[in-house]
Amino acid sequence: MHRTRPFQMIALFLIAFAGGCGQSNDKSSNAVQVQLNWYPESEHGGLYQALATGLYKDAGLEVTIQPGGRATPVGPELELGRAQFAIANADDVMIFRAQGLDVVAVLAAMQNHPRCLLARKDSGVETFDDLKGKTFQRQAGRAFVEFLRSKNILDGVQEVPYHGSIASLIADPEIVIQGYSCAEPLLAEQQGVEVNTLMVSDLGFNPYSSVLVTTGKLIREKPELVQQFVDATRTGWQQYLTDGVRGNEAILSVNEQGMTSEALQFGAEVMRDLAMPNDAAAESVGMMTDQRWQTLYDQLVDLELVAPSKVKAEECYTLQFLK
């Protein structure tokens, strides 16, 4: 179900649209287009809460949220000016910048990443050490997969492509799949299969998730607009994680991929702990730290997914709009 990031498509996308699509879709100075990295779900709840409750309108912004999908080129959409903001994961941001895209993170809704591996309870897989001999459906080349490989966790594991579905897991206890803890566990339960959820963050690889990103160009040219949008979105997340009824109603109205109220409620409950770990206050939602970004950067360099000659950690984010 989650989440294709087709980095290899970026160069082709930019070439294909270079002739004239670099113009912004803005029809007014306060028009904002937001590109999601997946179909509308609870991991985008703060944006839909802000839209549904009028937070963006109160800030003087005309906001349109563009759903994503399996092959959404988030970085190029920003680079070409077709969107002013987007949602990504922190590791995506660093890889985008290493590829020459001017993407900058300005807010991180999820402090802990929902990335997990799912195994049926009757599979015998209770920890990462139990994966040997199993078949693992994953997206090849993803940073978390390379991290698992670097820790020898995938030794003796057969790796096959992930097709965006839990169907294989339901059918075969020998199959383990990648997933998000705020979605797939419930889907499996609804089909009568109990699962063990192995959180990748427990191993020390924990990029920020549901990260709000924009471009360095917009930050330089329209810092007031960026501040307005960050403030409204941050408040939207704080509201959604407290009472996300309005946000979930908005998501249901636009999600055409079989989303249900039950799934959204489950996702919102899981994300409260991801966004506010250790009983953190709602006011902390969205915060980022230099240390977390530097740790991620060092990990991606060690994994040879980014080169120090291409990008520095401090170029990937700014804290100026979170004060």
Side-chain angles (χ1 to χ4, degrees), residues 166-187:
I166 66 169
S168 297
L169 172 77
I170 299 301
D172 187 350
E174 296 302 305
I175 290 179
V176 177
I177 67 169
Q178 69 175 58
Y180 268 24
S181 62
C182 53
E184 280 83 0
L186 176 66
L187 296 177

Side-chain angles (χ1 to χ4, degrees), residues 179-317:
Y180 268 24
S181 62
C182 53
E184 280 83 0
L186 176 66
L187 296 177
E189 179 183 320
Q190 289 175 332
Q191 297 192 42
V193 174
E194 295 185 11
V195 296
N196 290 326
T197 303
L198 309 181
M199 299 301 298
V200 176
S201 59
D202 289 342
L203 298 173
F205 187 72
N206 191 22
Y208 289 122
S209 181
S210 293
V211 177
L212 182 66
V213 298
T214 186
T215 62
K217 182 176 186 291
L218 192 66
I219 290 172
R220 292 187 299 272
E221 295 181 355
K222 296 184 178 181
E224 299 86 0
L225 183 146
V226 177
Q227 187 70 70
Q228 290 171 319
F229 191 79
V230 168
D231 288 345
T233 302
R234 192 175 180 189
T235 300
W237 271 114
Q238 291 166 348
Q239 290 183 0
Y240 182 76
L241 294 166
T242 302
D243 181 1
V245 172
R246 296 283 299 277
N248 283 342
E249 288 175 349
I251 293 172
L252 282 174
S253 71
V254 295
N255 185 298
E256 300 177 353
Q257 284 71 42
M259 180 55 59
T260 66
S261 296
E262 184 181 12
L264 287 173
Q265 181 178 355
F266 174 83
E269 290 172 355
V270 171
M271 286 196 303
R272 288 191 188 102
D273 289 334
L274 297 175
M276 299 179 288
N278 303 316
D279 296 321
E283 290 74 22
S284 69
V285 172
M287 294 300 292
M288 304 184 294
T289 68
D290 297 319
Q291 181 180 1
R292 283 283 298 276
W293 280 99
Q294 186 62 50
T295 296
L296 175 62
Y297 177 79
D298 292 341
Q299 290 175 323
L300 295 185
V301 169
D302 288 343
L303 294 172
E304 299 183 349
L305 295 177
V306 302
S309 62
K310 298 292 186 179
V311 63
K312 304 299 180 185
E314 60 270 19
E315 299 169 346
C316 300
Y317 69 98

Side-chain angles (χ1 to χ4, degrees), residues 2-242:
H2 295 272
R3 308 281 194 262
T4 302
R5 302 286 189 271
F7 299 124
Q8 68 272 19
M9 295 176 59
I10 290 176
L12 292 175
F13 186 96
L14 289 174
I15 292 171
F17 284 88
C21 285
Q23 300 300 316
S24 171
N25 284 341
D26 284 359
K27 292 183 173 60
S28 65
S29 60
N30 63 349
V32 172
Q33 172 109 340
V34 188
Q35 177 63 60
L36 302 187
N37 56 345
W38 190 249
Y39 306 113
E41 292 187 0
S42 53
E43 64 205 70
H44 309 117
L47 286 85
Y48 282 99
Q49 184 83 11
L51 189 65
T53 60
L55 289 170
Y56 290 137
K57 183 177 180 181
D58 291 344
L61 302 173
E62 299 176 7
V63 175
T64 302
I65 301 176
Q66 177 64 33
R70 297 185 187 281
T72 303
V74 170
E77 287 292 299
L78 289 170
E79 186 78 5
L80 297 171
R82 292 156 60 95
Q84 288 70 53
F85 295 89
I87 298 297
N89 292 319
D91 51 322
D92 297 335
V93 175
M94 288 191 167
I95 293 173
F96 285 145
R97 289 203 66 91
Q99 294 172 334
L101 301 182
D102 183 23
V103 178
V104 181
V106 291
L107 176 153
M110 299 297 111
Q111 299 298 301
N112 290 330
H113 202 292
R115 173 64 67 198
C116 64
L117 273 60
L118 294 181
R120 287 173 45 152
K121 282 189 177 294
D122 59 0
S123 68
V125 177
E126 297 184 358
T127 71
F128 288 99
D129 293 333
D130 300 324
L131 290 173
K132 189 172 183 179
K134 302 299 182 183
T135 297
F136 176 36
Q137 291 189 349
R138 84 294 178 261
Q139 292 169 288
R142 295 294 293 147
F144 82 93
V145 175
E146 297 309 314
F147 178 81
L148 294 176
R149 196 184 320 284
S150 74
K151 299 299 182 182
N152 301 318
I153 289 172
L154 299 182
D155 289 356
V157 176
Q158 181 183 3
E159 298 181 48
V160 299
Y162 174 66
H163 301 295
S165 169
I166 66 169
S168 297
L169 172 77
I170 299 301
D172 187 350
E174 296 302 305
I175 290 179
V176 177
I177 67 169
Q178 69 175 58
Y180 268 24
S181 62
C182 53
E184 280 83 0
L186 176 66
L187 296 177
E189 179 183 320
Q190 289 175 332
Q191 297 192 42
V193 174
E194 295 185 11
V195 296
N196 290 326
T197 303
L198 309 181
M199 299 301 298
V200 176
S201 59
D202 289 342
L203 298 173
F205 187 72
N206 191 22
Y208 289 122
S209 181
S210 293
V211 177
L212 182 66
V213 298
T214 186
T215 62
K217 182 176 186 291
L218 192 66
I219 290 172
R220 292 187 299 272
E221 295 181 355
K222 296 184 178 181
E224 299 86 0
L225 183 146
V226 177
Q227 187 70 70
Q228 290 171 319
F229 191 79
V230 168
D231 288 345
T233 302
R234 192 175 180 189
T235 300
W237 271 114
Q238 291 166 348
Q239 290 183 0
Y240 182 76
L241 294 166
T242 302

